[in-house]
Amino acid sequence: MMSKRFQLIELLSEGRFCSGVQLAEKLAISRAAVWKHVQALVELGLDVHAVRGRGYQLRSPLQLLDRDRIQRFLSQHTLSRLDAVDIFNSVDSTNEYLRRNLDRLSPGRGRACMAEQQTAGRGRRGRSWVSPYGSSLYLSLAWFIDQPGMSISGLSLAIAVSVARALEEHGIERLGIKWPNDIFLEGRKLAGILLDLSGESGGAWRVVAGVGINVRMPSTAAEQIDQPWIDLSGLNVSVDRNRLAGQALEALVSDIIRFADQGLDSFTDEWTRYDLLSGRVIELRQGDRMIAGIARGIDTDGALLLEHQGTIRSYHAGEVSVRLAE
Ligand code: BTN
């Protein structure tokens, strides 16, 4: 059964005033208990305010994830390849959840998971991913790629292209990708991708692709983010979270199938269009070494090409981090 707290969020989600008496009645709890839950929602980062005589209100309405609406944006083909689409109010991490269920995957098929909130959201390089309730998208897709011998290292770039395209379908323009897979807008990070791979080269791969998209970041959560970021709320587009979740999942499934069949090659034209670094002076950090040079696109495995003192060398995503030098 859904907990009282999440039922309360649902009752308030449209942004209308609800009196303490009404809420207490609907939830079958005392008014004091309603008040306690409201305090907990404030701690979750939700902007609930109380007005004497009128009750409680969420200052900005929430569009909660809704399975039926999400599935409307999935094709028959995608639905036929997914064994589950799990939607949670709260989970530690959608990637971790799917990793715990990897043995349920079968070849050429996948499972998806989304959540309103992550209590231990993970970013790249061991960082955490700030994941407040109801305001962003946390979406993961697990897939069993059964193509022995295929080179998997370009997958994270293909996933980034897939997400950028899904965002563009929402009218979001001038998106770019900072190698290997950060989605940027106006010089700030809009979405991040975390790929967990298990398998061995030459064999089959079980992958979990996790995508976090900043939709509307509450100010309390924003304070915890340690890099320049942007969300969709300030842009001139109206975003339906369920449509974005559905279209992003649709894109991920078809692109992961395309990657398994055709490899990174079939994404390189799109990659080049989004590539933020190409032709620019960048700094690579490799352990405690810094290498400056000019970014020259990617090689066939998705490694970054860097021109340094007249020679071009490739660097893999696991071994370096990148900064624009100008
Ligand atoms: C990055 O550091 O840029 C990667 C961020 C990835 C965040 C997403 S949110 C859904 C999925 N679950 C996680 O714990 N992380 C990814």
Side-chain angles (χ1 to χ4, degrees), residues 4 9 49 83 85 129 175 194 198 263 304 322 325:
K4 300 284 182 196
I9 296 178
H49 73 142
D83 291 324
V85 179
W129 186 256
L175 289 163
L194 177 70
S198 57
L304 178 72
V322 183

Side-chain angles (χ1 to χ4, degrees), residues 130-144:
V130 177
S131 309
Y133 189 94
S135 46
S136 289
L137 277 180
Y138 318 114
L139 158 65
S140 298
L141 174 67
W143 202 266
F144 191 138

Side-chain angles (χ1 to χ4, degrees), residues 5-67:
R5 188 154 307 163
F6 295 124
Q7 284 179 41
L8 175 62
I9 296 178
E10 227 176 78
L11 291 171
L12 291 171
S13 64
E14 286 177 11
R16 281 199 291 267
F17 268 108
C18 301
S19 76
V21 176
Q22 269 172 359
L23 292 171
E25 220 164 74
K26 287 198 175 133
L27 297 171
I29 56 178
S30 69
R31 285 174 64 186
V34 169
W35 186 82
K36 265 198 197 151
H37 283 304
V38 167
Q39 298 315 304
L41 300 194
V42 173
E43 270 160 43
L44 275 181
L46 296 180
D47 202 358
V48 194
H49 73 142
V51 172
R52 195 180 290 275
R54 295 191 73 185
Y56 301 103
Q57 185 200 32
L58 258 180
R59 262 185 239 265
S60 32
L62 287 176
Q63 261 173 3
L64 297 176
L65 296 175
D66 176 325
R67 174 191 306 277

Side-chain angles (χ1 to χ4, degrees), residues 28 98 102 108 138 141 156 160 171 187 207 217 227-228 246 264 287 310 319 321:
L98 289 175
L102 278 185
Y138 318 114
L141 174 67
S156 74
V207 307
M217 189 62 72
Q227 53 187 331
L264 182 62
E319 40 182 49
S321 63

Side-chain angles (χ1 to χ4, degrees), residues 92-96 118 120-124 127 129 131 137-140 182 189 191-194 210-212 227:
D92 53 350
S93 147
T94 51
N95 268 39
E96 284 310 305
Q118 298 184 115
R122 290 171 49 224
R124 290 177 62 227
R127 296 159 91 148
W129 186 256
S131 309
L137 277 180
Y138 318 114
L139 158 65
S140 298
D182 287 342
K189 186 150 154 179
I193 289 158
L194 177 70
V211 182
Q227 53 187 331

